[in-house]
Amino acid sequence: MNAPLDVSFFARAAKPITSYRPYWAKRFGTAPFLPMSRAEMDQLGWDSCDIILVTGDAYVDHPSFGMAVIGRVLESQGFRVGIIAQPDWHSAEPFKVLGKPNLFWGVTAGNMDSMINRYTADRKIRSDDAYTPGDIGGKRPDRAAIVYSQRCREAFKDVPIVLGGIEGSLRRIAHYDYWSDKVRRSIVVDSKCDLLLYGNAERALVEVAHRIAAREPVENITDVRGTAFIRRPHDPSAEGWFEIDSTEVDTPGRVDEHINPYLTTSEQAQAQGASCAKEDGEAEAAPADAQGASVKPLTFVPNPALQGKGKRAPRERTVIRLPSYEQVKSDAVLYAHANRVLHLETNPGNARALVQAHGEGATARDVWINPPPIPLTTAEMDHVFDLPYARSPHPAYADEHGRHDGATKIPAWEMIRFSVNIMRGCFGGCTFCSITEHEGRIIQSRSEESIIKEVEDIRDKVEGFTGVISDLGGPTANMYRLGCRSPEIEAACRKPSCVYPGLCPNLTTDHGPLVKIYRRARALRGIKKILIGSGLRYDLAVKSPEYVKELVQHHVGGYLKIAPEHTEQGPLSKMMKPGIGSYDRFKTMFEKYSEEAGKKQFLIPYFIAAHPGTSDEDMMNLALWLKKNGFRADQVQTFYPSPMATATAMYHSGLNPLKGIHRDERGERVDIVRGEKRRRLHKAFLRYHDPNNWPLLREALKAMGRADLIGNGKQHLIPTFQPLTDGGYQSARRKNSTPVGKPSARAAAVVKPGTPAPRKGQVLTQHTGLPPRAGTAGAKARKPR
């Protein structure tokens, strides 16, 4: 039986976000768009804004854009909310455009981390930005949350700054920064914000907004879950907390050797380098009482069964002290330890507060991180998603024809324009992913009625709708209404994943509610097709054949993207992903149901190169698997160390936090793929079919003792001949393509004189990732060798 998802999972009740008394400005009503200029404020009859939101994204009034959600939630509470989107950060003047906010600034870098948005995994600047009109790069600064906070302080220094968004969430403690290759301080310190809200912050934000509106000083707001702030040492507000010192790696106490029960007393003594005084007659006479009886002193020891009972500090008043910033900066072992502790304290049902010291002497201060927020109930999720979103970009971004699909198109909006978000959270726990760190592992689901209503709104109100819903999903397509069978067990659980190394027996895997929504939604008048574009957790899907059949026969548009990430157990164990056997089982079901429906459909697997724990042999074996199965990947994902992720801690420390952290040989060491050459090699294995990669792969295979894979037969990975190539390839994403140029010197050097140029269609450098289709031109040439 499923857990009741319309009520809180946890014993600690949270105040519903709809139960607050609205702020007095509620009388102004609802704005068609949150204002971005004084002229729009005048049209609404506003003389000022209560809260001004600053974001690194263009303002799209859609529930998939964080600032739109936050703005509409605050508006529903009665506050007048303005938005400053992608301001020029070179001075404070653009931050004054809406005047001084009455209550506070709300600052975010946007839907994406600004560094990941601006740089590739190879630390090269991107030329595009999907969250900017016209897909133009460079509209936001590096570390945008810090820069925006500084400019807000310059504009109006006495206005509180509340920082949020994924960039703040992933930097709430001292964190490894891939782009500078060093450990940076908590963003709370660097941004000098008054309060950081991490995760999906509606619950915390509503409480903070009403408390500031009630004239409570922001420095006194220290008891809200899901927040982080600065505390000075010996601050009176920290009194009454029980502190657990976790500033050093745990070390075991003395372990006594087991006594061999087959030895006599004297033999045991001899084994320990002593003698048995009783048998050797060396015992001193024991003192005697008046009657001559032997007297032995009494020894009192605590009863082990009662140890700690009645003395354990309550979890809600317990704080764990992490190693300081200075310690984790200079000691990678302590960094891995701090990362492990942080991930153990992420369940809202049992997480304890964390504190981390920054600075010494006069500059010393503590970054205090309260436990995660209580997840939203289904009713609260419905409230958030049912707010009056315009579901389009702000009119300021329209082109000369008043449209948003031309030169000023915002690609991120175009992608989610006809999609519906049905849930939040992910209990997968993949170590390279930041969803769990941000949204948590408790699934928060909307009601069926709310989802269907949004589909109908898209059909009736969104311009350009052709009858196709591009996605009904979320962070994971098929975790809707899944969770623990027991709220009590869920509130006490400290596992990082519910599906690794196998599915937890307490996890419900009933996809029935999701199947019901699919059927009801596609039966609506005017709906031609509903596609599923979110990532699919196939190890969950195979537990429900009914769901797989429904998905494959009605909701796949020719191909379905899934992410096994790798084929080898070494890297998979560091990713916390299932073995390739789960993929094979899903593939069998996928092909079976596709054939029953008379459809030719394809699975497109995604893989990661250069992930911690991946050897060169692992990538070679993956390339062989790809060739055997006829896959030619076009877009290749190289591991990107995002702040606070467990895999990033592996990358920085070379240790595996999943296995516990030790300074001796008990700590598990992880093979880290560093350096441009090795990362390029792992990426080349994924694109084994690209002639530009063949020289590098030949060199590597010879060094690995696998020259047997070089040849012109079907059993070989790469050929011996080298065609003339220009060093470029055309990617499905045009701006990711390498421009055409002269043949590389390396490629030209290995071409034998007189080698004829390959026939057209013989060597392919453009790939869709789809398996070869029978009967098409050049199909014979496309077959794997």
Side-chain angles (χ1 to χ4, degrees), residues 127-430:
S127 60
D128 55 352
D129 184 346
Y131 291 88
T132 299
D135 199 15
I136 300 171
K139 291 294 184 178
R140 74 186 81 208
D142 288 357
R143 313 186 205 287
I146 295 175
V147 176
Y148 291 159
S149 296
Q150 292 172 342
R151 292 303 186 214
C152 288
R153 189 70 77 196
E154 291 176 29
F156 303 104
K157 66 178 183 179
D158 57 335
V159 178
I161 296 174
V162 178
L163 184 64
I166 194 166
E167 184 163 311
S169 280
L170 302 188
R171 289 171 166 79
R172 56 186 184 261
I173 65 168
H175 54 280
Y176 172 72
D177 184 79
Y178 172 65
W179 303 272
S180 58
D181 194 24
K182 66 180 184 181
V183 175
R184 290 180 62 94
R185 301 183 299 184
S186 164
I187 198 171
V188 181
V189 176
D190 283 343
S191 68
K192 298 180 174 62
C193 65
D194 295 281
L195 204 59
L196 166 69
L197 308 186
Y198 66 87
N200 293 123
E202 291 95 344
R203 190 181 301 286
L205 184 66
V206 168
E207 180 177 349
V208 167
H210 281 288
R211 289 172 68 170
I212 294 178
R215 301 189 183 280
E216 183 175 351
V218 69
E219 58 268 19
N220 292 352
I221 303 177
T222 60
D223 58 343
V224 179
R225 296 177 67 107
T227 63
F229 50 89
I230 295 292
R231 260 190 176 133
R232 294 289 177 180
H234 312 298
D235 190 316
S237 65
E239 292 181 2
W241 284 81
F242 301 88
E243 184 174 298
I244 298 175
D245 187 353
S246 190
T247 57
E248 186 50 78
V249 176
D250 294 335
T251 55
R254 185 174 65 89
V255 179
D256 292 328
E257 185 178 355
H258 289 288
I259 296 175
N260 187 336
Y262 299 103
L263 297 179
T264 65
T265 305
S266 60
E267 289 172 335
Q268 291 174 10
Q270 290 174 4
Q272 296 173 6
S275 62
C276 180
K278 181 178 179 180
E279 294 189 6
D280 294 346
E282 298 173 2
E284 296 182 3
D289 61 9
Q291 286 73 35
S294 177
V295 177
K296 295 182 180 179
L298 292 175
T299 303
F300 293 91
V301 296
N303 184 346
L306 300 177
Q307 283 291 328
K309 285 198 173 182
K311 297 181 180 179
R312 184 174 298 171
R315 298 186 78 88
E316 63 271 13
R317 297 296 295 175
T318 300
V319 61
I320 300 176
R321 180 165 290 279
L322 300 173
S324 69
Y325 160 68
E326 286 73 21
Q327 287 178 292
V328 300
K329 180 181 180 182
S330 60
D331 189 340
V333 175
L334 286 182
Y335 180 90
H337 168 69
N339 182 272
R340 176 176 169 83
V341 174
L342 176 102
H343 283 83
L344 287 173
E345 302 296 331
T346 55
N347 184 345
N350 59 50
R352 292 164 287 193
L354 304 173
V355 63
Q356 186 176 52
H358 284 63
E360 299 172 344
T363 63
R365 63 270 208 207
D366 286 338
V367 173
W368 192 285
I369 304 171
N370 283 329
I374 300 298
L376 298 185
T377 64
T378 295
E380 289 172 318
M381 284 284 287
D382 288 352
H383 167 74
V384 169
F385 283 89
D386 290 347
L387 293 171
Y389 301 97
R391 302 191 70 88
S392 72
H394 189 278
Y397 303 126
D399 59 20
E400 65 273 15
H401 305 293
R403 301 182 61 83
H404 299 284
D405 51 5
T408 61
K409 181 172 67 176
I410 302 172
W413 168 72
E414 187 70 20
M415 184 184 303
I416 53 86
R417 185 177 179 184
F418 306 120
S419 70
V420 178
N421 195 331
I422 66 175
M423 47 74 70
R424 282 181 184 168
C426 179
F427 48 70
C430 301

Side-chain angles (χ1 to χ4, degrees), residues 487-562:
E488 292 77 19
I489 292 176
E490 181 167 53
C493 182
R494 293 167 67 79
K495 289 179 61 178
S497 172
C498 300
V499 292
Y500 184 86
L503 266 60
C504 176
N506 295 313
L507 180 68
T508 60
T509 58
D510 179 18
H511 288 58
L514 191 54
V515 171
K516 185 179 178 184
I517 288 176
Y518 286 1
R519 291 173 178 171
R520 184 175 172 187
R522 73 169 184 263
L524 292 174
R525 176 186 55 82
I527 301 300
K528 300 177 183 176
K529 186 83 173 178
I530 291 182
L531 300 173
I532 304 303
S534 299
L536 184 77
R537 191 80 195 198
Y538 53 85
D539 52 343
L540 277 175
V542 295
K543 297 295 182 181
S544 177
E546 179 191 24
Y547 171 75
V548 178
K549 182 176 182 178
E550 192 76 17
L551 173 74
V552 171
Q553 296 190 348
H554 299 284
H555 301 282
V556 174
Y559 61 91
L560 179 69
K561 298 178 182 178
I562 58 174

Side-chain angles (χ1 to χ4, degrees), residues 355 448 710:
V355 63
E448 180 182 323
I710 305 171

Side-chain angles (χ1 to χ4, degrees), residues 48 354 673 683:
S48 60
L354 304 173
V673 186
K683 189 175 181 178

Side-chain angles (χ1 to χ4, degrees), residues 600-674:
K600 191 68 173 176
Q601 301 184 138
F602 302 96
L603 277 180
I604 306 301
Y606 275 48
F607 298 95
I608 294 180
H611 190 279
T614 308
S615 66
D616 298 349
E617 288 75 16
D618 290 332
M619 292 307 302
M620 177 190 71
N621 290 333
L622 173 55
L624 291 171
W625 184 92
L626 288 171
K627 183 164 187 179
K628 177 182 176 182
N629 288 275
F631 288 113
R632 295 185 168 193
D634 177 38
Q635 298 184 59
V636 175
Q637 182 180 3
T638 308
F639 171 66
Y640 205 152
S642 59
M644 214 173 82
T646 299
T648 302
M650 295 181 194
Y651 179 87
H652 174 58
S653 68
L655 297 171
N656 184 3
L658 300 174
K659 298 292 186 181
I661 301 300
H662 306 279
R663 291 192 180 276
D664 54 24
E665 65 280 357
R666 291 172 299 145
E668 182 182 344
R669 266 51 184 180
V670 179
D671 183 11
I672 304 302
V673 186
R674 293 186 183 275

